[in-house]
Amino acid sequence: MAAKISKKRAIVVGCGGMGRAWMKNLQDNPRAELIGVVDVRNDAAQSAAKDFGLAPETAFTSVAAAIKALKPDFVCDITIPAAHCPTTVAALKLGVPVLGEKPLANSMAEARLMVAAAAKSGATSMISQSRRYEVHHAAIREGIRKGVIGDITTLNCDFYIGAHFSRVGHLDFRDTMESPLILDMSIHHFDLARYFFAADPVSVYCQEFNPKGSWYQGDVAASAIFEMDNGAIFTYRGSWCADGRHTSWHGDWRIIGQRGTITYENDQAPKGERCKKGAKPGFCTEQEPVVLPDTKINGSGIAGSLNEFLDHLIKGKPVQCETKDNIKSLAMVFAAMKSARSGKREKVTW
Ligand SMILES: NC(=O)c1ccc[n+]([C@@H]2O[C@H](COP(=O)([O-])OP(=O)(O)OC[C@H]3O[C@@H](n4cnc5c(N)ncnc54)[C@H](O)[C@@H]3O)[C@@H](O)[C@H]2O)c1
């Protein structure tokens, strides 16, 4: 007889677009169960409960009240960035593990509070950096780890999408943020850079701007140059106000090592070339294709991060993006914003 799966019971805080994606994610996972929802807007909580087949009394407007009533095994914090710190800290204070959406927090001070709250409570606090859970990304990371193009010297990422959030029904929180691109989107790319080549940031020079005709209030475009702790340079260019010829949401990447290059564009399988061993010297060295390792992942995007968190809760396996590690990716965001305001190169500290 097959062993009975014990499901981990979860509540979702934040019943917006992404909160609903998480409710579905939980209901689709055989090891998880959605048992309640929370939103500061009672109507949003009630309508999510109804749409996901929950009783009205499992919808709350306070995370603490929901935890006390429903006693979940974990909380998914899918609120807006400004609410991540109070929501996650409230759950951790009650000893409940939290799997939260990026960005970790709205400031470094809040992020440090969250890291301290997790350490004090002993409950795990993990950020779902969903773009880590893609088969092509795992292959790039593994290829780099195995040295298929030698030591990495240069990493470039371009991200260009014309994203009209406010035109899909309501005024969106990103419309009024000071740095919507860097804080709400580039965090994915900055974190991917750390994921791809297992290096941490040292310093950054960044210029943010709001392109002419932008439909955002804050600066929604940026160019940034990071130095990483292995000496490599990571150059980032991005805009959410760029209609036409979009890049992938993952960004388009060029990764250069001492022996060759990997490019990854439009979500297509990454391609690589490297100098052929024993090639005759010439203006350009003869190249051979790079074969990246075959990698397996357990679910892509938020399905992958949920599986990693469940493996942790059920089997005690470590997670990649505990807040105490993810704070380094957030530090890239805030150092870039600081540099954009000071006009100077800034240290990345956390
Ligand atoms: N991983 C991804 O690809 C991805 C994609 C989209 C959004 N996100 C992230 O998900 C989060 C939510 O984004 P969204 O697009 O769903 O936003 P949204 O504005 O659609 O929804 C946020 C919800 O949180 C609620 N809320 C605000 N403060 C709250 C509080 N203190 N307590 C309880 N509820 C509160 C709001 O009322 C709203 O219903 C953000 O952090 C965003 O960056 C991630």
Side-chain angles (χ1 to χ4, degrees):
M1 209 171 72
K4 195 167 175 283
I5 298 174
S6 101
K7 293 183 181 228
K8 292 290 172 192
R9 301 158 72 251
I11 59 174
V12 170
V13 190
C15 300
M18 203 59 192
R20 283 169 171 265
W22 272 95
M23 291 168 207
K24 181 168 185 315
N25 190 26
L26 290 160
Q27 289 191 334
D28 287 348
N29 192 306
R31 298 188 294 166
E33 183 183 357
L34 174 68
I35 60 162
V37 293
V38 181
D39 200 290
V40 277
R41 296 181 297 122
N42 187 42
D43 57 332
Q46 286 298 339
S47 94
K50 185 162 176 260
D51 292 349
F52 286 85
L54 300 178
E57 53 276 18
T58 63
F60 293 81
T61 53
S62 138
V63 63
I67 289 172
K68 282 174 191 156
L70 301 176
K71 305 200 169 19
D73 294 310
F74 67 105
V75 162
C76 294
D77 179 357
I78 322 295
T79 57
I80 56 172
H84 288 175
C85 180
T87 303
T88 289
V89 169
L92 292 171
K93 275 191 176 158
L94 293 168
V96 182
V98 182
L99 175 55
E101 260 302 339
K102 44 54 64 177
L104 167 58
N106 228 20
S107 69
M108 287 305 288
E110 286 183 349
R112 290 184 195 110
L113 269 178
M114 293 163 83
V115 172
K120 193 168 174 198
S121 82
T124 301
S125 173
M126 167 178 160
I127 294 304
S128 168
Q129 290 285 175
S130 54
R131 291 176 197 279
R132 287 189 174 216
Y133 307 89
E134 296 298 338
V135 76
H136 294 326
H137 301 185
I140 292 173
R141 177 183 164 97
E142 197 48 20
I144 289 175
R145 199 185 65 77
K146 290 195 161 142
V148 292
I149 54 168
D151 286 351
I152 303 304
T153 62
T154 313
L155 199 58
N156 293 353
C157 175
D158 276 355
F159 170 79
Y160 289 103
I161 288 190
H164 298 261
F165 292 102
S166 54
R167 295 192 193 172
V168 280
H170 66 294
L171 184 71
D172 191 82
F173 68 84
R174 298 165 190 87
D175 294 318
T176 52
M177 280 172 97
E178 244 183 289
S179 298
L181 176 82
I182 296 272
L183 181 55
D184 200 58
M185 190 63 220
S186 310
I187 177 69
H188 279 300
H189 307 121
F190 296 175
D191 182 71
L192 264 186
R194 288 186 55 230
Y195 170 77
F196 281 154
F197 74 144
D200 286 329
V202 173
S203 66
V204 59
Y205 176 78
C206 174
Q207 185 154 356
E208 284 187 290
F209 59 105
N210 206 12
K212 192 173 178 185
S214 168
W215 51 93
Y216 294 82
Q217 287 178 25
D219 285 344
V220 77
S223 296
I225 304 167
F226 289 92
E227 186 189 341
M228 306 301 280
D229 63 2
N230 57 3
I233 298 296
F234 167 42
T235 303
Y236 179 77
R237 303 184 300 183
S239 174
W240 242 343
C241 179
D243 281 325
R245 301 284 299 147
H246 291 171
T247 63
S248 158
W249 280 87
H250 297 312
D252 287 347
W253 293 79
R254 176 174 288 266
I255 302 164
I256 306 171
Q258 284 184 326
R259 221 185 129 199
T261 293
I262 295 169
T263 57
Y264 171 49
E265 292 159 347
N266 304 316
D267 300 337
Q268 301 301 304
K271 295 186 176 123
E273 268 184 351
R274 66 181 173 195
C275 298
K276 207 170 175 175
K277 271 202 181 129
K280 285 196 195 106
F283 181 72
C284 287
T285 311
E286 196 184 342
Q287 302 290 301
E288 63 182 12
V290 164
V291 180
L292 289 173
D294 248 346
T295 43
K296 294 207 169 25
I297 55 166
N298 188 9
S300 80
I302 60 173
S305 62
L306 175 59
N307 272 326
E308 187 170 291
F309 197 65
L310 290 169
D311 279 346
H312 173 70
L313 294 182
I314 296 165
K315 303 176 191 168
K317 287 192 176 176
V319 293
Q320 295 179 62
C321 298
E322 266 195 85
T323 51
K324 66 182 176 200
D325 180 75
N326 189 252
I327 196 170
K328 298 176 189 174
S329 300
L330 193 78
M332 295 171 80
V333 164
F334 283 100
M337 284 159 57
K338 189 174 176 193
S339 166
R341 296 189 191 15
S342 70
K344 294 181 186 147
R345 181 170 158 169
E346 297 286 352
K347 284 209 164 86
V348 183
T349 53
W350 49 88

